[in-house]
Amino acid sequence: QRLVTNYAAGFSRLGFKAMQTPPVQTEEAIRLYNIALKFAPEYGPALNGLIAIYAVQMMQPEKALPLAERLLAAQPERVETWVRYGGVHLMIGERDERSGRDAEAIAHFEESVRAYEHALSQEPERRELYAPLLSMYQKLGRTRELNSLLDLYGRYAPEELQSLMEPDDGSVAP
């Protein structure tokens, strides 16, 4: 078992290096991460690497979703796993919304909300989750949750909340 994990770690590190060293070699990184997953199908760094490539670099969150689901099944105790899973659902929801597929968008927003709420219940100081969660609550018409989150946001990131509440035109909000 340990030898298998060492192989997975080695191929995963090579995949990471292929993405970090110019020129970026996306296809090679995908190949190396997939080899790592052949040795250890639930190996977090390889799953995370592929999720990042598909969702962020290639803007194909649909390809990242099954990987994010596998990662969540393998590492439900890690807050970062919930953040990654929620982020993929958010990306898909936003794409569906732009394409007029509102029912599909709502389902992805609901799943993203569930993931981000879980992450914040474990680490309420995760400032990067507040703005997207507020936006989703607004889209979903969840006024009570929105107000509760605003209170929490004010406690953990008061200056960010203040800048969010200021109008874009330079005037001061009432």
Side-chain angles (χ1 to χ4, degrees):
Q1 175 65 19
R2 185 180 168 130
L3 185 60
V4 166
T5 304
N6 285 344
Y7 282 130
F11 281 106
S12 188
R13 276 194 295 276
L14 290 171
F16 181 78
K17 186 176 180 189
M19 289 304 295
Q20 301 301 314
T21 309
V24 171
Q25 300 171 29
T26 305
E27 293 306 316
E28 179 65 1
I30 290 171
R31 187 183 76 77
L32 291 164
Y33 283 135
N34 280 317
I35 291 171
L37 292 174
K38 284 187 184 357
F39 286 104
E42 308 307 320
Y43 189 65
L47 289 168
N48 269 316
L50 286 171
I51 293 166
I53 289 170
Y54 289 133
V56 179
Q57 186 181 10
M58 298 175 83
M59 298 301 291
Q60 297 177 1
E62 294 82 5
K63 279 189 168 183
L65 185 57
L67 300 164
E69 290 168 344
R70 278 174 57 190
L71 184 64
L72 186 61
Q75 300 178 347
E77 72 286 352
R78 295 195 67 229
V79 171
E80 192 55 45
T81 299
W82 287 90
V83 171
R84 183 74 46 115
Y85 175 78
V88 170
H89 272 287
L90 176 59
M91 289 179 76
I92 296 171
E94 288 172 339
R95 179 173 289 166
D96 286 345
E97 185 179 49
R98 284 190 303 273
S99 299
R101 295 188 304 268
D102 292 341
E104 292 90 341
I106 287 171
H108 286 290
F109 290 147
E110 291 284 358
E111 195 59 19
S112 183
V113 163
R114 187 178 77 83
Y116 283 179
E117 284 176 341
H118 179 80
L120 282 174
S121 76
Q122 305 299 305
E123 292 182 12
E125 67 279 1
R126 295 293 295 252
R127 303 169 116 165
E128 75 275 13
L129 300 181
Y130 285 98
L133 194 50
L134 285 170
S135 174
M136 286 185 287
Y137 281 157
Q138 191 171 18
K139 289 174 198 247
L140 297 170
R142 292 187 176 183
T143 307
R144 189 172 349 121
E145 290 96 335
L146 189 138
N147 289 331
S148 295
L149 188 64
L150 282 171
D151 291 341
L152 198 59
Y153 198 9
R155 209 170 322 144
Y156 285 97
E159 60 287 338
E160 287 177 31
L161 179 60
Q162 181 62 37
S163 70
L164 193 66
M165 302 300 270
E166 292 173 359
D168 289 338
D169 64 4
S171 64
V172 178

